[in-house]
Amino acid sequence: MSTIEPIHIVGGGLAGSEAAWQIAQAGVPVVLHEMRPVRGTDAHRTEGLAELVCSNSFRSDDAETNAVGLLHQEMRSLGSLIMAKGDANQVPAGGALAVDRDGFSDAVTAALQAHPLVTIERGEIAGLPPEEWSSVIVATGPLTSPALAEAILSLTDETSLAFFDAIAPIVYRESINMDIAWFQSRYDKVGPGGTGKDYINCPMTKEQYDAFVDALIAGDKAEFKEWEANTPYFDGCLPIEVMAERGRETLRHGPMKPVGLTDPRNPDKKPYAIVQLRQDNALGTLFNMVGFQTKLKYGAQTGIFRMIPGLENAEFARLGGIHRNTYLNSPKLLDPTLRLTAMPRLRFAGQITGCEGYVESAAVGLMTGRFAAAERLGQPIQPLPHTTALGALINHITGGHIETIDEGPRSFQPMNVNFGLFPPLAHAPKAEDGKRLRGPAKAVARKKALTDRARVDLAAWLSGRALPVAAE
């Protein structure tokens, strides 16, 4: 029986689940508190840990030239439970890593339930965690219960920030008209578990596209509650109709861009726009509409989305929805190890810290768990190199990137991991003949150089780590 005092984690989403795994693998007992099913949320539908409530994609798995792919690789090297179970439950998605959402959640839940140092308790933690809990990680995500959110904010002078996060619809595969649609990944790219034909593509003519945009703009939208009225959207997850309102061509340069895709039955006829659907479960019976998160009312959704060629008889397993997300002004409130400066026994992880995305949330949970475990074991906490994807993300959250201007620090906004968060290279990459690179070749070489540097620096950090790398 361990004599080490347990660390408590509030919230069993991706961040909380990953934090719990990292702590337990370090030899420290952990109590994971999840309020579902005792109390539900507007977005969740099960009581499983690490339930995916929006897309089923972990995005690009390219670790050479993509920041999120690099983050995948770094998390794997640190024994991430989320990445291990994501890999084990992948479904075809071109160059992306997408997962069977139910199989993934079931696998994460089973792993944590089976771990001898993990205790899972169901029930809401209303208000601040009890004072006798000397180390707590709050990983309640964007749907933090009002009582807990208000209690946390009462410790600071800050006002909670919030933004809307919308959910994309899911279509039954058998209801898609494949006489019109076809299978193809953009540029025929083959990703993990994929074939290069991993997306269903629905083409549109200019006339069809214009009619669709008109319908989106005119469609009946959900009304906001009074407390939601002034909540801004996060640009990385805009509702489809909001994008349409920003300009008629916005969708053609966003989720409906037609580049890299050719209808094999009409190779010489280039579609004006294309709607893509991505496999959502291992059986291949469900496909989600890529980038089609929405706040349209349910009745409007079915009519408008059936205007898409190939979806004229679409049957929906789930329609789109919308909920409000909340996050802290983390650069002002959290220290470099994600402790609340006003109450250091509390650490934060996941989307509530101001990161955006499944993988980023889990990554912050991973590092928060390791920080908390090291502290509990009395071991030194080594800061991550900012040149790594993990370090750049933590640096963004804790404020190391913020520049002060005349009117003070710029506004803190949710952020996906991206190369803009990384310190610049000391020297610009050059061609093999020593000449300066230009155009696309320069951009690719820069990304490759950033990922090469990150791998070297993470390896050096790991060689001096205080905690063992967790293994599944």
Side-chain angles (χ1 to χ4, degrees), residues 83-90 107:
M83 291 307 303
K85 299 310 179 186
D87 290 336
N89 289 275
Q90 67 181 24

Side-chain angles (χ1 to χ4, degrees), residues 365-379:
L366 185 154
M367 291 312 306
T368 306
R370 294 178 72 88
F371 291 152
E375 182 180 65
R376 178 64 90 216
L377 295 171
Q379 298 175 345

Side-chain angles (χ1 to χ4, degrees), residues 449-467:
L450 287 169
T451 58
D452 287 345
R453 183 183 66 177
R455 276 189 282 274
V456 170
D457 290 353
L458 183 67
W461 181 80
L462 283 171
S463 68
R465 65 184 181 270
L467 289 175

Side-chain angles (χ1 to χ4, degrees), residues 215-460:
L216 284 176
I217 294 172
D220 196 8
K221 281 86 173 175
E223 296 180 3
F224 297 139
K225 299 183 177 68
E226 182 178 351
W227 52 269
E228 295 178 317
N230 296 317
T231 302
Y233 292 108
F234 168 53
D235 281 345
C237 202
L238 283 175
I240 191 79
E241 62 278 2
V242 172
M243 285 188 272
E245 291 168 354
R246 292 188 173 185
R248 297 195 68 81
E249 294 296 291
T250 301
L251 293 173
R252 288 188 66 243
H253 295 279
M256 295 178 67
K257 58 181 178 288
V259 299
L261 298 164
T262 302
D263 184 348
R265 290 163 298 210
N266 297 288
D268 297 325
K269 184 179 180 181
K270 297 298 182 183
Y272 189 74
I274 287 178
V275 174
Q276 287 197 305
L277 295 95
R278 177 177 56 228
Q279 186 173 328
D280 200 78
N281 65 342
L283 294 175
T285 57
L286 300 176
F287 277 71
N288 64 64
M289 300 176 67
V290 177
F292 265 60
Q293 49 275 350
T294 181
K295 65 185 180 71
L296 289 166
K297 288 186 175 179
Y298 284 174
Q301 287 184 47
T302 53
I304 294 172
F305 294 152
R306 285 173 182 160
M307 294 174 65
I308 299 169
L311 300 186
E312 58 272 7
N313 297 311
E315 296 296 330
F316 297 90
R318 183 189 72 187
L319 289 166
I322 188 167
H323 55 275
R324 192 181 81 162
N325 286 353
T326 57
Y327 59 93
L328 298 171
N329 191 353
S330 296
K332 282 192 173 184
L333 303 181
L334 304 182
D335 75 6
T337 66
L338 299 162
R339 294 183 304 181
L340 187 69
T341 54
M343 185 176 282
R345 71 184 180 94
L346 300 184
R347 275 188 168 85
F348 288 81
Q351 279 188 268
I352 195 173
T353 65
C355 66
E356 174 62 22
Y358 291 146
V359 178
E360 289 87 341
S361 295
V364 176
L366 185 154
M367 291 312 306
T368 306
R370 294 178 72 88
F371 291 152
E375 182 180 65
R376 178 64 90 216
L377 295 171
Q379 298 175 345
I381 297 175
Q382 299 295 333
L384 279 157
H386 296 169
T387 52
T388 64
L390 283 163
L393 188 60
I394 298 296
N395 193 45
H396 160 69
I397 290 168
T398 57
H401 68 296
I402 290 183
E403 297 179 0
T404 300
I405 52 180
D406 291 342
E407 59 268 28
R410 70 170 177 82
S411 175
F412 177 63
Q413 294 290 330
M415 184 72 71
N416 295 116
V417 67
N418 64 82
F419 285 124
L421 301 180
F422 290 55
L425 295 165
H427 303 285
K430 294 184 179 180
E432 292 183 2
D433 59 7
K435 294 183 179 180
R436 295 177 61 184
L437 294 166
R438 299 181 185 278
K442 179 181 178 181
V444 171
R446 173 181 168 272
K447 293 174 181 177
K448 179 68 166 58
L450 287 169
T451 58
D452 287 345
R453 183 183 66 177
R455 276 189 282 274
V456 170
D457 290 353
L458 183 67

Side-chain angles (χ1 to χ4, degrees), residues 33-70:
H33 303 266
E34 169 54 53
M35 69 179 185
R36 293 175 293 120
V38 177
R39 176 169 179 171
T41 76
D42 293 335
H44 292 86
R45 62 181 181 84
T46 76
E47 61 184 62
L49 302 176
E51 178 184 343
L52 305 181
V53 299
C54 189
S55 167
N56 70 321
S57 176
F58 286 4
R59 312 199 313 283
S60 175
D61 203 46
D62 173 12
E64 294 295 320
T65 60
N66 189 286
V68 74
L70 176 63

